Amino acid sequence: MRPRVVVNFDRPMSAGAVNERTLRLESAAGGVVPAKLSYDAEACQAVLAPTRDLNPGETVRVVVSGEVADAAGRRMDKEVRTVFACAAPE
């Protein structure tokens, strides 16, 4: 399965500051999960689409670097991480 991960921002972000280095998926072991990143400035939304299958029960971490900045150049205070586990298909 290849679930899309959507990250919503509360304001437009600098498109140049939202990239594969500052917004990524990581495995439980800390390795990068390859993903295609897109950013929609109008919707204030970034989407990470894994380019490999994720296994049922696999734990994946979403990492948003503190280097991500809004359109006015204000950076986030700190790195944000959240974890999810892939559900088994029904």
Side-chain angles (χ1 to χ4, degrees):
M1 80 181 85
R2 295 185 185 191
R4 294 178 345 125
V5 176
V6 178
V7 177
N8 292 301
F9 297 99
D10 65 354
R11 65 181 63 107
M13 306 307 284
S14 168
V18 178
N19 58 57
E20 288 81 8
R21 187 176 53 78
T22 61
L23 182 58
R24 64 190 180 277
L25 298 177
E26 293 180 349
S27 68
V32 173
V33 174
K36 180 180 176 188
L37 172 66
S38 61
Y39 176 66
D40 181 338
E42 189 173 310
C44 301
Q45 189 175 78
V47 176
L48 288 160
T51 58
R52 71 156 174 88
D53 287 335
L54 302 179
N55 299 313
E58 182 175 357
T59 300
V60 178
R61 189 171 29 247
V62 181
V63 181
V64 182
S65 165
E67 295 177 28
V68 172
D70 66 15
R74 295 176 296 230
R75 290 185 176 197
M76 294 178 52
D77 289 342
K78 60 183 176 180
E79 183 172 273
V80 176
R81 294 172 173 248
T82 190
V83 176
F84 69 91
C86 299
E90 294 183 6

